[in-house]
RNA sequence: GCUCCCUUCGUCUAGUGGCCUAGGACACUGCCCUCUCAAGGCGGGAACACGAGUUCGAGUCUCGUAGGGAGCACCA
């Protein structure tokens, strides 16, 4: 049988880190085994589901490159089907109508808690065979098996056994006529032929009751893999307050999609000591059976390291588009300045994100807006700076070819001619080019300014050196 | 309260009874390189939650304790 996995988010918000990892693992498992990855939107919660959230999830997956093979399927479009299956269960005596009000159920629950036992529905209507009545409290409950236990081998957690005594007759159809989650997922997973249910481990407790529904429906039970949670840096549950929010926030913060993917794939999974995985490698190496059982914390420092790794190793031309997106985002026109790929090469050893890169690239796309006074004092207003700048200006103006290598030659010539150390020449030039004491190597910094720009900046610096 | 799950350096992890005086990576840190900042190279500190067993031998198996987490809904 061909493998089919699915990612089934409920559209109540953006695609967050945990959801993205679940989606990634579902996708990878399908890819490695030549299977199909299905996307299903679980929107039966009318109160909280929104169209914007659906779009946000789609956007997030798209940015990460997690393409689904089938779907998206919407549960709200399958209402007739759930009804049909529930009717079948009713007809076969595997489900029944119950008429307690929510208040009565609540009371039952509180009473059980007070007595120190697990709250369960008491099964009042289970074998009563009362004629159907059109009561506003009417719900359909599933007849959970009474004795025995449910056993399943979770691909990450291992064997889990659950006594049926712990399970009660859960509601599968609410009084408002909507199916409940535990029922809808099972019907969907059966209909969509899902063979591997990969989801967050907050669902482990639901699994036994779902398995009972599979049995009642006479459907084959899929494999389950329950993924541990991703915690915030402080070990607490991830939330907006921790900053680790929408995956799109990571885009805004300057992370590369494959860097995030690499980080996520290693969070809870490993392949020996390997840290760097291309998407193609993940596709062949990832196996959900090798996922760890324990929760892990999200560490931006490591993500940043991976991000820089890709910044340094990817083809600058391929990075250009995403980089230009960041330039425009902060109001820079990539066409009015050096080639973005050249800027990437100059800055990639110095920043960890594209966002930082864009900010530091501003030097070459716009006039210097802020001068570091300390830099002027220290490197321009010196005995040797004016002469060094003058000489550099003359030589740069006469340079045959405008390349970093040639410019490097100029800086050396100036140093030799004036009998100065490289630092005494590079420093004033650096301040002249950027207004600060920090920049990439001086030849690249000058190169990126362009010949006209470089000469103009030297003039400007000369004026400040003498002023 | 009840049920289920989890526990190796600060963090992510390797480790499936002897290869472990516990390996790698991020972070931190020392030195080197150096026109600044980085990047890079070479080093360093840093962990098997605890207690009993089983065994010739336990990070690895069993039980218990402690600490975390999840669920116990007409929410997914």
């Amino acid at each position: 049988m061909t493998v089919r996995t699915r990612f089934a988010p409920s559209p109540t918000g953006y695609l967050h880190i945990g959801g993205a990892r679940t989606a990634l693992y579902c996708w990878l498992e399908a890819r490695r085994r030549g299977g199909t990855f299905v996307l299903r939107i679980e929107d039966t919660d009318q109160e909280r589901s929104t169209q914007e959230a659906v779009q946000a999830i789609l956007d997030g997956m798209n940015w990460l490159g997690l393409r689904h093979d089938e779907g998206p399927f919407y549960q709200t479009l399958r209402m007739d089907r759930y009804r049909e299956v529930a009717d079948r269960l009713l007809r076969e005596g595997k489900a029944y109508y119950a008429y307690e009000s929510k208040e009565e159920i609540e009371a039952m629950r509180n009473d059980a808690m007070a007595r120190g036992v697990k709250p369960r529905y008491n099964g009042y209507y289970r074998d009563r065979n009362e004629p159907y009545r059109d009561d506003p409290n009417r719900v359909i409950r599933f007849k959970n098996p009474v004795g025995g236990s449910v056993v399943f081998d979770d691909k990450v957690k291992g064997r889990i056994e659950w006594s049926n005594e712990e399970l009660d007759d859960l509601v599968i159809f609410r009084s408002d006529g909507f199916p409940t989650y535990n029922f809808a997922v099972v019907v969907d997973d059966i209909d969509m032929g899902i063979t591997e249910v990969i989801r967050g481990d907050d669902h482990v407790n639901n699994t036994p009751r779902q398995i009972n529904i599979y049995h009642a429906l006479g459907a084959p039970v899929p494999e389950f893999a329950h993924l541990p949670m991703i915690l915030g840096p402080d070990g607490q549950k991830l939330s907006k307050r921790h900053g680790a929010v929408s995956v799109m926030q990571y885009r805004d913060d300057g992370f590369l999609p494959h860097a995030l993917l690499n980080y996520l794939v290693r969070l809870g999974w490993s392949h020996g000591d390997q840290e760097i995985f291309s998407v193609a490698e993940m596709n062949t190496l990832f196996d959900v059976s090798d996922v760890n059982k324990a929760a892990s914390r999200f560490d931006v420092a490591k993500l940043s390291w991976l991000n820089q790794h890709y910044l340094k190793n990817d083809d600058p031309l391929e990075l250009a588009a995403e980089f230009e997106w960041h330039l425009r985002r902060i109001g820079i026109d990539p066409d009015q300045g050096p080639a973005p790929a050249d800027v990437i090469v100059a800055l990639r050893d110095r920043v960890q994100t594209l966002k930082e890169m864009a900010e530091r690239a501003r030097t070459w796309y716009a006039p210097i807006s802020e001068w570091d006074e300390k830099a002027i004092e220290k490197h321009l207003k010196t005995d040797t700076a004016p002469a060094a700048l003058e000489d550099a200006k003359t030589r740069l103006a006469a340079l045959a070819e405008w390349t970093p290598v040639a410019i490097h030659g100029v800086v050396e010539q100036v140093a030799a001619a004036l009998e100065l150390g490289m630092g005494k020449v590079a420093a004033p030039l650096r301040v002249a080019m950027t207004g600060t004491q920090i920049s990439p190597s001086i030849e690249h910094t000058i190169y990126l300014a362009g010949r006209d720009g470089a000469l103009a900046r030297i003039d400007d610096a000369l004026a400040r050196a003498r002023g």
Side-chain angles (χ1 to χ4, degrees), chain A residues 155-338:
Chain A
K155 294 183 102 173
V156 349
K157 302 280 182 185
R159 169 158 296 213
I160 292 176
E161 180 164 2
W162 215 283
S163 167
N164 272 319
E165 301 308 315
E166 297 296 326
L167 275 21
D168 64 356
D169 291 349
L170 75 157
V171 170
I172 58 174
F173 250 85
R174 306 188 229 152
S175 53
D176 64 3
F178 280 91
T180 58
Y181 166 76
N182 280 302
F183 181 61
V185 258
V186 175
V187 175
D188 285 341
D189 286 338
I190 291 172
D191 286 354
M192 296 171 196
I194 302 304
T195 60
E196 317 282 322
V197 172
I198 300 170
R199 76 234 296 196
D201 70 2
D202 46 331
H203 290 287
V204 227
N205 304 284
N206 290 323
T207 308
R209 42 193 1 151
Q210 290 175 13
I211 289 176
N212 282 332
I213 298 178
Y214 275 95
H215 289 324
L217 257 17
V221 179
E223 296 269 13
F224 292 97
H226 287 98
L227 276 19
M229 298 189 63
I230 294 180
L231 274 17
D234 55 357
Q236 293 303 111
K237 197 169 173 173
L238 221 42
S239 70
K240 294 110 226 167
R241 305 185 64 181
H242 292 75
V245 284
S246 161
V247 298
M248 293 316 266
Q249 182 65 45
Y250 287 90
R251 177 194 193 171
D252 293 353
D253 288 346
F255 292 95
L256 263 3
H258 49 295
L260 222 206
L261 251 22
N262 194 152
Y263 179 70
L264 255 19
V265 82
R266 279 286 287 105
L267 200 58
W269 174 82
S270 61
H271 180 70
D273 287 337
Q274 189 172 342
E275 296 287 350
I276 304 298
F277 294 87
S278 67
V279 174
E281 270 181 306
M282 293 178 201
N283 273 292
T284 63
L285 295 175
F286 180 82
D287 186 333
V288 78
S289 308
D290 297 330
V291 171
N292 283 160
K293 296 175 172 188
S296 41
R297 303 188 191 203
F298 193 88
D299 179 19
V300 202
K302 187 156 184 183
L303 204 212
S304 298
W305 170 74
L306 277 167
N307 202 56
Q308 187 181 39
H309 170 84
Y310 285 108
L311 248 26
K312 288 189 299 187
N313 292 283
D314 284 359
D315 181 347
L317 258 15
E318 283 173 22
L319 257 19
E322 189 84 4
F323 176 52
E324 287 176 31
W325 183 85
H326 280 279
L327 285 176
R328 292 203 175 83
R329 199 155 180 272
I330 59 171
I332 292 171
D333 179 357
D335 298 328
Q336 305 298 309

